[in-house]
Amino acid sequence: MSLLTTAAANLYQHRAVSAPLYVELKPEKAQKSSGFRARNTYEVGIKDRVLIDPCCGSGGMFVQSADFVKRHQGNINDISVYGQESNPTTWKMATMNLAIRGIDADLGDHNADTFFEDLHKTEKFDFILANPPFNLKDWGGEKLEDDVRWQYGTPPEGNANFAWVQHMIHHLNRSGRMGMVLANGALSSQTNNEGEIRAKIVDADLVEGIIAMPDKLFYSTGIPVSLWIITKNKKQSGKTLFIDARDMGTMVSRRLREFTDEDIAKVSTAFDAFRDGTLETEKGFSAIATTEDIKAQDYILTPGRYVGVAEVEEDDEPFEEKMTRLTGEIAKCFEESNRLQEQIKKNLEVIGYGM
């Protein structure tokens, strides 16, 4: 795959997931100043907010965030944008990608590994958006066992999922909010301390929402993923919103699915209503669970466990009429099958291969 194709694929995959993430992190009326950076009391909008992507790749999340802000009559440069990337080529690509779009971002003066050389170590952020590598194995966890970021437990050496989660939580300010993409295994894994870490994060009342996404959103892999919304100082304390969006989206090719504006709006509307305390849950799509409910499910966060199965419209067609109709349709299919078999036999005879 060429460098240009890689960049395009990276940008597409961020478009597929960054839009719903950014919508869920959209700034509301700011709370009183808290955290690392001073800001005006009850300031409305995005001005002076601080955003980071600690594994920014070629900058796709920032590009999509800028587009979202522009569509809402804002300016991305009203937000202080930070990022970090370990791959030197990709870091250069991100720097160029943001520069040509006029996005002023601090990606550090060099590429660096987020776990071993945190370029923004003292910063606390209002928003964090990230699509980290799925199930990263060789991340060097054995060298970071006593790291200050592992507040909820030491991540396993063979999987960095909960290292990413805890790194980002560590960098949230006291009213911060983060949205990240994770492989679905992180929702239910009980191996190598992952279940214990997830349980402690839930008990700390940080998980505001989980969205199960459909498959085929990425060029590089067809696996389905989930979006995690983690929030300090949640509006609905002790409650988590679960959304099952696995059947949403539109196939734009045999390999790629698009999460449409209508899909994003449906998810966003549910989150808004949940935060306002007015959500009427929809069986098969949305559910609200308390921390005790989640504990009863062994802290497994798979939305399907909570939303249930969508109600099917009652079939009022009488059984006898239905069977008559269906058998008639099957008979026609059999007739067509026999006709095609005879046609195939004739075609084979013409070329000397009669049966």
Side-chain angles (χ1 to χ4, degrees):
M1 185 179 285
S2 70
L3 191 62
L4 185 60
T5 305
T6 301
N10 182 276
L11 187 59
Y12 177 84
Q13 72 182 33
H14 285 300
R15 181 181 297 117
V17 296
S18 64
L21 277 179
Y22 198 89
V23 167
E24 297 325 317
L25 299 188
K26 61 183 179 291
E28 303 168 22
K29 182 177 286 189
Q31 300 298 315
K32 289 186 177 181
S33 175
S34 63
F36 186 79
R37 290 181 178 271
R39 56 186 64 84
N40 296 331
T41 302
Y42 292 108
E43 180 181 7
V44 177
I46 63 173
K47 193 172 178 61
D48 294 334
R49 297 301 190 100
V50 191
L51 165 73
I52 189 173
D53 181 348
C55 43
C56 68
S58 61
M61 283 288 194
F62 297 135
V63 172
Q64 295 307 313
S65 298
D67 289 344
F68 178 90
V69 171
K70 287 177 183 177
R71 289 198 303 272
H72 291 77
Q73 290 76 51
N75 187 331
I76 189 63
N77 290 320
D78 286 339
I79 305 176
S80 298
V81 176
Y82 291 76
Q84 183 161 344
E85 172 55 37
S86 62
N87 183 285
T89 302
T90 311
W91 176 80
K92 291 176 184 176
M93 189 186 301
T95 303
M96 177 185 67
N97 198 9
L98 300 182
I100 63 177
R101 288 172 170 79
I103 301 173
D104 185 15
D106 181 354
L107 306 185
D109 59 6
H110 62 284
N111 62 289
D113 186 296
T114 300
F115 295 130
F116 286 89
E117 188 183 358
D118 188 350
L119 298 180
H120 311 293
K121 194 170 185 176
T122 61
E123 296 280 359
K124 297 293 183 181
F125 298 95
D126 297 291
F127 303 113
I128 299 176
L129 277 174
N131 180 11
F134 298 156
N135 305 317
L136 186 63
K137 293 181 179 179
D138 300 320
W139 64 282
E142 70 280 359
K143 301 174 184 177
L144 295 170
E145 290 184 358
D146 298 321
D147 196 283
V148 67
R149 290 169 290 185
W150 313 152
Q151 181 179 351
Y152 304 99
T154 303
E157 297 176 11
N159 194 316
N161 285 343
F162 283 98
W164 288 114
V165 173
Q166 293 190 87
H167 171 86
M168 296 179 210
I169 292 175
H170 176 77
H171 277 289
L172 286 176
N173 64 27
R174 284 178 288 176
S175 59
R177 184 182 297 167
M178 63 181 256
M180 68 182 300
V181 188
L182 280 178
N184 281 350
L187 298 170
S188 58
S189 173
Q190 301 287 9
T191 60
N192 299 321
N193 202 38
E194 290 185 326
E196 290 84 351
I197 295 172
R198 187 174 58 248
K200 289 178 181 178
I201 292 172
V202 171
D203 284 337
D205 202 19
L206 293 174
V207 183
E208 184 176 28
I210 300 288
I211 307 168
M213 297 291 282
D215 61 1
K216 297 183 175 66
L217 291 177
F218 302 90
Y219 273 108
S220 55
T221 177
I223 67 171
V225 298
S226 53
L227 308 185
W228 294 49
I229 309 298
I230 290 180
T231 304
K232 297 279 190 77
N233 194 25
K234 287 160 52 175
K235 276 193 170 184
Q236 294 295 326
S237 178
K239 297 178 181 179
T240 297
L241 175 62
F242 289 93
I243 289 180
D244 190 342
R246 290 176 296 173
D247 293 331
M248 298 173 69
T250 302
M251 295 299 294
V252 294
S253 73
R254 291 176 61 187
R255 295 182 57 192
L256 285 175
R257 186 188 306 271
E258 182 182 77
F259 213 60
T260 66
D261 289 343
E262 291 75 16
D263 296 326
I264 294 168
K266 182 175 181 179
V267 173
S268 177
T269 299
F271 260 91
D272 287 342
F274 168 65
R275 287 171 179 149
D276 292 339
T278 60
L279 177 64
E280 294 183 9
T281 58
E282 178 183 336
K283 200 171 180 64
F285 172 70
S286 61
I288 299 172
T290 66
T291 301
E292 287 301 313
D293 294 332
I294 298 172
K295 182 178 180 180
Q297 294 289 338
D298 293 326
Y299 295 97
I300 291 174
L301 299 178
T302 305
R305 286 198 172 214
Y306 302 92
V307 304
V309 179
E311 294 181 358
V312 179
E313 290 186 13
E314 185 176 346
D315 185 356
D316 56 0
E317 184 178 7
F319 179 77
E320 292 297 333
E321 292 182 13
K322 177 183 288 187
M323 288 304 298
T324 300
R325 176 175 59 79
L326 292 176
T327 52
E329 292 175 359
I330 292 173
K332 290 180 181 178
C333 290
F334 287 159
E335 290 175 7
E336 179 65 10
S337 175
N338 292 333
R339 186 189 68 79
L340 291 173
Q341 286 185 48
E342 291 302 319
Q343 185 62 52
I344 291 170
K345 288 178 181 179
K346 290 178 182 179
N347 292 341
L348 288 173
E349 288 175 0
V350 169
I351 60 176
Y353 290 93
M355 296 176 66

